[in-house]
Amino acid sequence: MSQFVSADALKTLLDEGAPVRVLDVRWRLEQPDGRDAYLAGHVPGAVYVPLDLELSAHGAPADGRHPLPSTLALQQAARRWGVRQGDAVVVYDDAKGVPAARAWWLLRQAGVDVKVLDGGIRSWIAAGFDVVTADAAPAPGDVVFAEIGADAISIDEAAALPASGVLLDVRAPERYRGETEPLDPVAGHIPGARNLPTVRHLDDAGRILDHDTVRAAFADTGVVPGVAAAAYCGSGVTAAHTALIAAEVGLDVKVFPGSWSQWSNTPGRPVATGDQSG
């Protein structure tokens, strides 16, 4: 079953009054608060979700920039969004599905039937469908979440994984190689990690490439069925997108949510630079 839904299919669900809650997860590294973009025009009924506040916890630098929220905190947020028990959820953004994937990854673990709008808000607009500017204020929901965290790995598990499976660094190649680091105190990558930028799986519109091409890209790094695999990025957002893409093509990739922001802020963790070997 696909992890994505088309704009046409979402419009049909909304027109039919299906029990579906739409979430707008607009967020960018350079502009983390996406509320203004949401208010400028969003899918009718969509609720704005602040990624930094409701899809993340907060702690010390050694916890990373986007630690997992607790199950209770995420459930309380989802109730604010109006999610009721049994509702389906569709998430979208305007950044090629990356921040929306963070919501998908968390909600999927919580037992929610969740999909990502293929192509995001731009696909909705390109299909000729109306957007609205009013801030949605749904009645509180009553959803009950399963415990989250099973699809995440710890910093120690990330360190050990290259010896028995595949650890993917899904950042840009220059950050992986340690040539630049715009945010964290150390440049480089976790020793043994393989570089597979998540943008390699997408076309210019942010839609996933054909599945055979995507599977081949994963296979080139050793990620095939039966091999333990996990992904990390700068702070655990982009890595969730790699998990989404993997799930779409029948692969299981967990996420190291602390990612490089946690690793590079933890004393004593080794750092590798340069191109991957092997």
Side-chain angles (χ1 to χ4, degrees):
M1 182 178 296
S2 179
Q3 306 302 316
F4 294 91
V5 63
S6 69
D8 286 342
L10 176 58
K11 182 65 161 56
T12 297
L13 289 171
L14 295 175
D15 287 348
E16 292 176 347
V20 57
R21 173 62 57 195
V22 183
L23 306 179
D24 185 309
V25 196
R26 274 184 263 197
W27 174 94
R28 292 177 183 272
L29 192 60
E30 70 278 10
Q31 189 175 354
D33 186 351
R35 181 173 290 278
D36 285 348
Y38 163 80
L39 293 174
H42 53 268
V43 173
V47 177
Y48 173 65
V49 176
L51 186 149
D52 283 348
L53 298 179
E54 293 185 323
L55 301 180
S56 309
H58 299 278
D63 296 323
R65 288 193 301 279
H66 293 111
L68 263 65
S70 69
T71 301
L72 178 58
L74 185 65
Q75 177 179 282
Q76 290 173 333
R79 290 180 175 185
R80 181 192 75 78
W81 308 333
V83 181
R84 301 189 60 80
Q85 194 69 8
D87 280 357
V89 172
V90 173
V91 296
Y92 73 85
D93 56 45
D94 61 354
K96 297 190 174 182
V98 172
R102 172 75 174 204
W104 167 89
W105 182 68
L106 291 171
L107 293 174
R108 182 183 188 225
Q109 294 177 71
V112 175
D113 175 13
V114 56
K115 295 185 184 298
V116 176
L117 177 59
D118 196 15
I121 186 66
R122 296 177 189 179
S123 70
W124 179 267
I125 294 170
F129 301 141
D130 291 338
V131 296
V132 297
T133 57
D135 195 354
D142 62 2
V143 68
V144 177
F145 278 175
E147 191 70 24
I148 66 171
D151 288 345
I153 67 169
S154 69
I155 190 170
D156 289 333
E157 290 170 325
L161 184 56
S164 59
V166 179
L167 181 64
L168 295 175
D169 183 318
V170 303
R171 298 174 300 163
E174 60 271 18
R175 290 185 72 187
Y176 170 85
R177 292 192 296 262
E179 296 166 1
T180 182
E181 180 46 61
L183 295 167
D184 294 311
V186 181
H189 60 268
I190 297 174
R194 309 285 294 177
N195 189 218
L196 181 61
T198 199
V199 294
R200 278 191 54 188
H201 308 304
L202 306 174
D203 64 17
D204 291 341
R207 291 187 170 91
I208 186 173
L209 300 175
D210 71 90
H211 289 190
D212 287 343
T213 297
V214 172
R215 289 191 195 98
F218 278 112
D220 283 345
T221 66
V223 179
V224 294
V227 172
Y232 75 91
C233 55
S235 66
V237 176
T238 305
H241 186 268
T242 292
L244 165 68
I245 296 296
E248 179 68 7
V249 299
L251 297 170
D252 181 21
V253 173
K254 296 186 182 298
V255 171
F256 170 30
S259 284
W260 189 248
S261 60
Q262 181 179 23
W263 187 276
S264 62
N265 278 286
T266 302
R269 293 291 174 177
V271 173
T273 57
D275 286 320
Q276 55 204 5
S277 59

